[in-house]
Amino acid sequence: MDGTMWDGVQKLRGWLDAENQAAVGDVRLLRVLKITEEAGEVAEAVTGALGANPRKGDSHSWQDVEKELGDVIVTAAVALATISSDPEKALADRVRGLLDRLGLD
């Protein structure tokens, strides 16, 4: 993820911080929990793209799944930016650690 993406994440975080009505101690928890909500929307979109719910049929497209996955990624990035002083480095370190563990570096 490039710096431009992280600039956008920080803008979103700033907007959320300004608009937030939650108690200060709850903000981190709520932003992490929001990832689960967004992941549920991905699951709903996949189910709809596959037409796997007989009551709803083909209710979503794979483009809907793509959008929802983007929401999960952005939500996770905002949560990471909320709890980390350097979220870009934290994510880069994690990716590097996974690559190293798998011998893909």
Side-chain angles (χ1 to χ4, degrees), residues 14-29:
W15 178 82
L16 286 168
D17 288 347
E19 297 294 321
N20 188 36
Q21 299 297 314
V24 173
D26 294 338
V27 170
R28 292 183 300 177
L29 174 63

Side-chain angles (χ1 to χ4, degrees), residues 53-96:
N53 183 337
R55 189 171 49 83
K56 294 184 179 180
D58 295 326
S59 59
H60 291 77
S61 67
W62 286 104
Q63 289 76 26
D64 294 325
V65 175
E66 185 179 287
K67 176 185 163 290
E68 297 299 343
L69 283 170
D71 287 349
V72 170
I73 293 166
V74 170
T75 300
V78 169
L80 184 58
T82 299
I83 66 169
S84 174
S85 61
D86 191 349
E88 189 171 358
K89 181 181 181 309
L91 181 59
D93 288 349
R94 183 63 187 138
V95 170
R96 191 170 26 264

Side-chain angles (χ1 to χ4, degrees), residues 5-58:
M5 197 275 315
W6 283 107
D7 291 342
V9 166
Q10 292 295 2
K11 287 178 184 177
L12 290 167
R13 177 186 171 219
W15 178 82
L16 286 168
D17 288 347
E19 297 294 321
N20 188 36
Q21 299 297 314
V24 173
D26 294 338
V27 170
R28 292 183 300 177
L29 174 63
L30 291 170
R31 291 196 184 154
V32 171
L33 290 176
K34 180 74 173 165
I35 299 165
T36 303
E37 178 186 335
E38 296 296 340
E41 292 177 14
V42 172
E44 180 181 5
V46 168
T47 301
L50 293 173
N53 183 337
R55 189 171 49 83
K56 294 184 179 180
D58 295 326

